[in-house]
Structures are given as C-alpha cells and as structure tokens.
Amino acid sequence: MRPEELKVSRSDNPRTLTPGATIGVLGGGQLGRMMAHAGSAMGYRFVALDPAPDAPCGQVTPQIIAAYDDQNAARELAQRSDVITYEFENVDAGVAALLTEESYVPQGSALLYTTQHRLREKAAIEAAGVPVAPYRKVGSLAELTAAAAELGLPCVLKTATGGYDGKGQAVIRHAEELQSAFQQVVPDIAASGSPELVLEKFISFQCEISVIAARSTSGEVKSFPPAENIHVNNILHLSIVPARVPEEIQQRACRLAETLVDGLNAVGLLAVEMFVTEDGELFVNELAPRPHNSGHYTMDACVTSQFEQHVRAICNLPLGDTTLLTPVVMVNVLGEHMDGTVERLCKADDEANKLGIAPKLHIYGKTESKTGRKMGHINLLCKDTGDGISWVEQTNLWRK
C-alpha cells in the first residue's frame, strides 16, 4: 500500500464523543486493558478485537476474537463502535486504512504506516526538524560494510519493520562482527530476498529518556514530564520521574515531543524515546503512536494518566492536567518476577515503610507467565526517586 493511499487523521473535522459512547480498540493487550479501566471510569464503553481468547483487555470489556487482518471482524468492530483506536503499532495497516474509510478513526492510518517502518519514521522525524542519529539504509552484507565505513563503528543494525524489546537488532563494535550481525538480524537470507535494514550510528549517551505527548482532534497539545529509562537485556526495567537530567533538558525534550506530535498531525498519544548525550544534545530514537510502557508512572503519579489522556484526545475532550504529583519510580514485573512480587506485596513491607514509599501494583491479566514477558508493573511513589530505586535493589527480585 502506498503512502498516498492512506488517509490522514480527520482532525479537520473533529467530533466530540461524550461519555456513553463506545470506543473500539484494535488489540486486546495490557494497554487496551488500562485504557478501558481509565475510560470506563469516565463513562465510556469499550469493545476490543484480538485473536487471543481471554486477552487482558477482553477480561474487562467485550471482545471480538479474530485475527488482526480479518476484515470482516474489523467491520464488526466498526459497527459496534463510535470511535476506533489502536493499542499497538503493528496493527495491519490495510485494516486500519479500511476502518478510516468505514468508521471514525481520528488517529488515521498514515502515522501508523510511518511508524511501522524505521526508515519512514526517521524521514518523518527529520522532516519535522527534529534530530535523529545518523543512519543508512542497508539491504545486503556489502551495503552494510560500506555503510559501517561511512558512519564509523560502533553502530546498531536493525530490521526496518518489526522488532521490539531488543529483538531484530544487533550492536556492531568491530569490523569482524559485520557478517555475524547481518546473519543474526537476517537469519534466513535466502527466504528474505532483499531485506530492508537500518544501520544507525551508535550514540554515546548519558541516559535515555522518553516523553509522552498528546494531541486532541481539535489540535490541543500537552506533554507529560520526561521519564528516565533504564533497560536490562533490552527490556525496560525502570522509569524514573523526574528524570535525573537538568531542567533545561527536560523542557527541551518536551518541546521536541510536542513539535513531533503536532508536526506529524498525530491524534492521541505519541511516545518519543530520546538519547541524551554528555554535552546535552537530544536525538530521537523511536516513536510509538500509543500509550507506552514508560508512561505507566502517570497512572498513580500524575493528575491525569496517559490512558485517560488518550481517551480525552481521541474523543476531543479538553486534555487533562499533566502535573506530576509525586516523584515516582516505575519498575516492570516480568514473568520471572511474578510469584515473588505477588507474595511480597500481599504482606506488610518493612522496607517500603522504612523508605517512606508506597508501592502500587498493576497486574495485566496475561494467561501465561514467561521469562522476559511483561506481566505487570509497580509504581513506587516516593519523596525522592533514590528511595524508590533503593526499594527495587533491596527486594532482590530483579536480580534473579
């Protein structure tokens, strides 16, 4: 499908959907579940489309059980909904485009099409006047070798589509690693034909931060305070808010995110992940046009959560106050942490009491607990983020 065939979001003719309307969600995972919790409290109804029986969102809302590319199921979702949104960016773009024709999808499908492909995404970010790390398009080992010579090592090789939590990518630090990295990212070269890959210059960064920005269908824009993100094994481990960077950098990061959400004509939430260099430069790494793991801290620590804000944005309500009420550390609960976490938080927590923090547990309702799979998160409300980090370290659950 060509970009010109995709419809932009319909913010030129915004509709205000009041409580009582039904929100259809493409995707039935934890993001849809938490969106439904927030929207239901406001009086909205929800229906989800997801292929997995007993999906997390389907546990709290009606669910259409069907594949994401099932056009009949998509039409049923449209018939049962007043507005449709999506909870992850790998929704079939053809279905999203179909729905923009037959239903009301204020997010449209153009941004979805853009963010599903790293080369298109980087070009769109640059077109908005926001910096990204130097990169090259790569389709063969010979092109990879030439691009690495141009950019210099270290570099990161990534697939142009798919990939998450570190999958579909490889760090290349030495020239002798080029071939093995190519084979790692494209394990079946014969079946792949001419793969679309991206080679990015490795940015030596002080830390990684992200900003969740929202834009309503009428064009109102607001951003949440930046989160400092720490990853373990390429999976988000901690989000620390306020981020431990100067206030000037935090403000600049918010301006960049707001520039992107406005310049891309986005509706709803846009998560903007950035690198902060030692000299204070900001480079955008990735975008996600949906609620984001690094924004989960807003559920307990902000006046308005990211999920309520998303509902407000797509329904054209005034955007909520994004003020941070308390310092917070969000820690992800993976499959290997589940049993210990539940056991610990079901009894008195002496460490939390000593540190003066309040752990807020959120479990997603996934049917199978697997190592490395996100099963929930804890928001640690504290007077100082150092206390929240100390609690994580003292529990010992995340060292296993």
Side-chain angles (χ1 to χ4, degrees):
M1 182 168 292
R2 298 186 302 275
E4 60 267 24
E5 293 176 324
L6 295 164
K7 300 296 183 182
V8 298
S9 57
R10 299 180 181 179
S11 54
D12 56 334
N13 185 28
R15 305 179 193 176
T16 298
L17 298 166
T18 57
T22 297
I23 299 173
V25 184
L26 277 168
Q30 67 263 26
L31 300 179
R33 177 190 179 100
M34 291 183 277
M35 190 192 306
H37 280 313
S40 296
M42 300 167 67
Y44 290 94
R45 298 175 181 271
F46 285 79
V47 57
L49 189 156
D50 193 282
D54 197 33
C57 188
Q59 295 170 16
V60 299
T61 71
Q63 179 185 343
I64 300 167
I65 301 173
Y68 292 125
D69 60 356
D70 185 328
Q71 295 194 359
N72 289 330
R75 288 190 172 95
E76 181 184 348
L77 181 70
Q79 292 168 0
R80 296 172 62 174
S81 307
D82 298 299
V83 60
I84 291 176
T85 185
Y86 43 82
E87 61 123 35
F88 71 111
E89 61 266 47
N90 289 325
V91 172
D92 182 83
V95 165
L98 178 152
L99 288 171
T100 61
E101 292 289 344
E102 300 189 9
S103 184
Y104 180 52
V105 189
Q107 291 165 278
S109 57
L111 184 57
L112 187 66
Y113 176 85
T114 297
T115 56
Q116 285 178 340
H117 194 283
R118 287 189 171 93
L119 287 166
R120 292 195 293 262
E121 179 177 276
K122 290 179 182 298
I125 295 170
E126 290 179 309
V130 175
V132 298
Y135 68 96
R136 298 289 186 275
K137 178 181 177 180
V138 171
S140 67
L141 180 57
E143 290 180 359
L144 171 60
T145 302
E150 287 182 24
L151 294 175
L153 298 178
C155 285
V156 184
L157 182 65
K158 300 179 180 180
T159 56
T161 58
Y164 63 94
D165 289 344
K167 298 178 178 64
Q169 61 182 267
V171 178
I172 305 169
R173 301 187 183 279
H174 307 285
E176 54 268 26
E177 298 171 350
L178 289 168
Q179 183 171 353
S180 61
F182 187 80
Q183 291 173 340
Q184 176 186 332
V185 176
V186 190
D188 190 348
I189 297 175
S192 301
S194 299
E196 285 190 292
L197 307 175
V198 182
L199 185 70
E200 299 175 4
K201 176 70 177 175
F202 185 87
I203 299 296
S204 179
F205 56 87
Q206 174 189 346
C207 65
E208 296 178 70
I209 64 173
S210 58
V211 176
I212 312 295
R215 182 175 179 273
S216 71
T217 56
S218 59
E220 183 184 9
V221 173
K222 286 188 178 181
S223 59
F224 288 92
E228 176 186 349
N229 299 318
I230 297 175
H231 295 78
V232 175
N233 297 326
N234 294 309
I235 300 173
L236 181 62
H237 174 47
L238 299 177
S239 289
I240 302 164
V241 189
R244 296 173 296 182
V245 297
E247 180 66 25
E248 183 274 329
I249 292 178
Q250 294 187 45
Q251 293 177 0
R252 185 152 38 97
C254 288
R255 289 197 297 271
L256 284 182
E258 291 169 6
T259 294
L260 280 172
V261 76
D262 205 29
L264 295 173
N265 198 32
V267 171
L269 298 184
L270 183 70
V272 184
E273 299 180 67
M274 311 177 202
F275 296 126
V276 182
T277 67
E278 292 289 347
D279 56 2
E281 288 187 277
L282 293 173
F283 292 94
V284 172
N285 181 34
E286 288 186 341
L287 305 178
R290 54 166 172 77
H292 195 259
N293 194 176
S294 67
H296 290 351
Y297 78 88
T298 63
M299 297 172 71
D300 298 297
C302 289
V303 174
T304 306
S305 76
Q306 67 166 338
F307 299 101
E308 178 184 338
Q309 195 77 303
H310 184 75
V311 170
R312 287 179 168 275
I314 64 172
C315 292
N316 199 36
L317 303 184
L319 295 182
D321 185 349
T322 59
T323 300
L324 185 71
L325 297 172
T326 174
V328 58
V329 175
M330 188 283 298
V331 57
N332 269 328
V333 177
L334 305 182
E336 60 267 35
H337 311 139
M338 271 291 289
D339 291 344
T341 298
V342 171
E343 179 181 354
R344 182 180 185 87
L345 293 184
C346 286
K347 59 185 180 182
D349 190 329
D350 293 337
E351 284 81 4
N353 292 333
K354 289 176 184 177
L355 291 166
I357 66 172
K360 300 292 186 179
L361 176 64
H362 300 266
I363 297 295
Y364 302 152
K366 294 182 178 179
T367 55
E368 186 177 0
S369 181
K370 297 179 181 178
T371 298
R373 190 182 195 194
K374 295 172 185 174
M375 303 299 295
H377 69 272
I378 304 171
N379 285 332
L380 301 163
L381 309 184
C382 45
K383 295 179 181 178
D384 184 273
T385 55
D387 294 330
I389 295 169
S390 294
W391 183 89
V392 174
E393 293 172 347
Q394 290 177 24
T395 61
N396 205 36
L397 289 171
W398 287 270
R399 297 181 185 179
K400 296 178 180 178

